[in-house]
Amino acid sequence: MGSYIVRRLLIAIPVFFGITVLVFAFIAAAPGDAASAYARPELAVDPAAMAAVRARFGLDEPLPIRYVKWLGNALQGELGYRVTTGQAIGSEVFRALQASLLLTGTALLLGIFVGIPLGILSAIRQYSKIDMTLTGLTFLGISFPSFLLGLGLLYLVGLQWHLVPIGGMVTVGKKFDIVDLIRHLVLPACILGFGYAALFMRYTRASMLEVMHSDYITTARSKGLAGRTVTMRHAFRNAVIPIITIIGLSIPEVVGAAVVTEQVFQWPGVGLLMVTGVRDRDFFLIMGVTIVLAIVVLVVNLVTDVVYASADPRIRYS
């Protein structure tokens, strides 16, 4: 297992540097730069002042030199400072990442602990009323836009019924309280989790049905084993690999879906921070968020590969 993990790490290193090169080049090719954050369309900005701002942030240097300097600082943990506020990007990204991990982690756990058991139940009761109902909810959860569901529930639950706060992570001006945090978290996490519960339910059902029609399941039943033993020890254990695959692929997508949800609920995560960076043309902030998200995705992929190898030893020797 140790050599397998080392091989995966060696593969992840060039992938990481490739991500930084591509994102750096794409951002540099986009119209506008950090100096544009100081300009306003209705004001006549002195070209000399703009040139001074570009020189201050190193934007007048050739692109390869800018990348090497940025990468050297980033590898030392220095991600630079925000153009508009002057605050350290590293600390801001770290705070936003904590908020995003809380939201997306809660939504993902909700999707796993709700979707997988319901998928197993749907497969066991194939073509029953329960299966039909769960299948209908699955299609609804997969096809319904999260932002539309968020706006609808925000209006109904937040504005009309006043059951939960309508935005933010905590109540402004109030001392931190875990109950207050949970009240802010419950609605956006449930909206994200509903979509992923539906996705995991659908894949679990399909994977379980494929396995339950196998010969070894028929043999296990013919030996008189209890239905629960056949389902969990034999069927689910062999059906878990596709489920691990879809969970591993969904984690980076959760980050992308959270961008919309964070905008709707003004949740102070990396999605909201990234949108702010794009709006302000803050090159260093965008790169800081990107590099942190790239590390998170690579770590998640590594963990997924390790789980693969643990679930099926043939993978680590292939």
Side-chain angles (χ1 to χ4, degrees):
M1 178 66 77
S3 60
Y4 176 79
I5 295 176
V6 171
R7 290 202 307 269
R8 303 306 299 173
L9 283 172
L10 293 177
I11 293 173
I13 292 174
V15 172
F16 170 76
F17 285 107
I19 292 172
T20 61
V21 170
L22 289 175
V23 175
F24 196 96
F26 288 153
I27 296 176
D33 53 27
S36 303
Y38 291 93
R40 295 293 182 269
E42 66 274 9
L43 300 177
V45 181
D46 185 5
M50 295 289 289
V53 172
R54 290 190 174 91
R56 175 187 172 189
F57 292 105
L59 300 175
D60 58 341
E61 297 178 337
L63 187 61
I65 295 177
R66 288 165 52 192
Y67 173 75
V68 171
K69 288 183 177 180
W70 174 85
L71 183 62
N73 292 330
L75 292 177
Q76 300 177 38
E78 178 57 60
L79 298 178
Y81 298 88
R82 293 191 60 176
V83 175
T84 53
T85 63
Q87 294 177 323
I89 291 175
S91 60
E92 288 218 4
V93 172
F94 180 71
R95 285 194 297 268
L97 183 63
Q98 288 180 311
S100 286
L101 289 178
L102 176 62
L103 174 60
T104 58
T106 304
L108 194 63
L109 290 176
L110 184 64
I112 291 172
F113 288 111
V114 172
I116 292 179
L118 290 180
I120 296 174
L121 176 63
S122 182
I124 295 174
R125 304 288 184 88
Q126 187 181 16
Y127 302 134
S128 65
K129 291 183 179 180
I130 293 178
D131 182 31
M132 297 297 181
T133 302
L134 292 177
T135 300
L137 290 175
T138 298
F139 286 125
L140 179 64
I142 293 174
S143 60
F144 206 78
S146 61
F147 74 91
L148 187 59
L149 180 62
L151 290 173
L153 290 179
L154 191 63
Y155 174 77
L156 185 64
V157 180
L159 293 177
Q160 295 295 319
W161 297 346
H162 304 288
L163 297 178
V164 295
I166 61 173
M169 186 174 175
V170 293
T171 302
V172 178
K174 182 180 179 181
K175 186 178 180 180
F176 177 78
D177 181 9
I178 187 66
V179 176
D180 182 57
L181 175 63
I182 293 174
R183 292 184 69 243
H184 283 81
L185 174 65
V186 62
L187 191 55
C190 286
I191 290 171
L192 278 177
F194 175 65
Y196 285 96
L199 182 66
F200 299 156
M201 188 194 311
R202 189 64 182 168
Y203 275 90
T204 301
R205 180 185 184 276
S207 184
M208 285 290 293
L209 287 176
E210 181 178 358
V211 170
M212 289 173 66
H213 291 93
S214 301
D215 292 339
Y216 65 87
I217 298 297
T218 304
T219 302
R221 286 173 176 165
S222 66
K223 290 181 178 180
L225 294 177
R228 182 181 179 86
T229 302
V230 173
T231 300
M232 299 308 298
R233 183 176 297 179
H234 295 279
F236 181 70
R237 188 172 182 179
N238 288 277
V240 75
I241 292 295
I243 300 172
I244 294 174
T245 302
I246 193 61
I247 292 175
L249 293 175
S250 297
I251 293 176
E253 293 181 1
V254 172
V255 177
V259 173
V260 179
T261 305
E262 287 176 3
Q263 282 289 305
V264 172
F265 291 94
Q266 289 299 294
W267 187 268
V270 291
L272 190 61
L273 192 62
M274 175 68 86
V275 172
T276 302
V278 172
R279 182 195 63 199
D280 295 339
R281 299 182 179 89
D282 196 332
F283 179 92
F284 300 104
L285 178 59
I286 298 173
M287 285 303 303
V289 173
T290 301
I291 192 174
V292 170
L293 290 181
I295 293 173
V296 170
V297 171
L298 289 174
V299 170
V300 167
N301 288 337
L302 175 63
V303 172
T304 303
D305 290 338
V306 172
V307 175
Y308 281 158
S310 300
D312 188 351
R314 294 173 298 178
I315 294 176
R316 77 183 78 147
Y317 299 118
S318 61

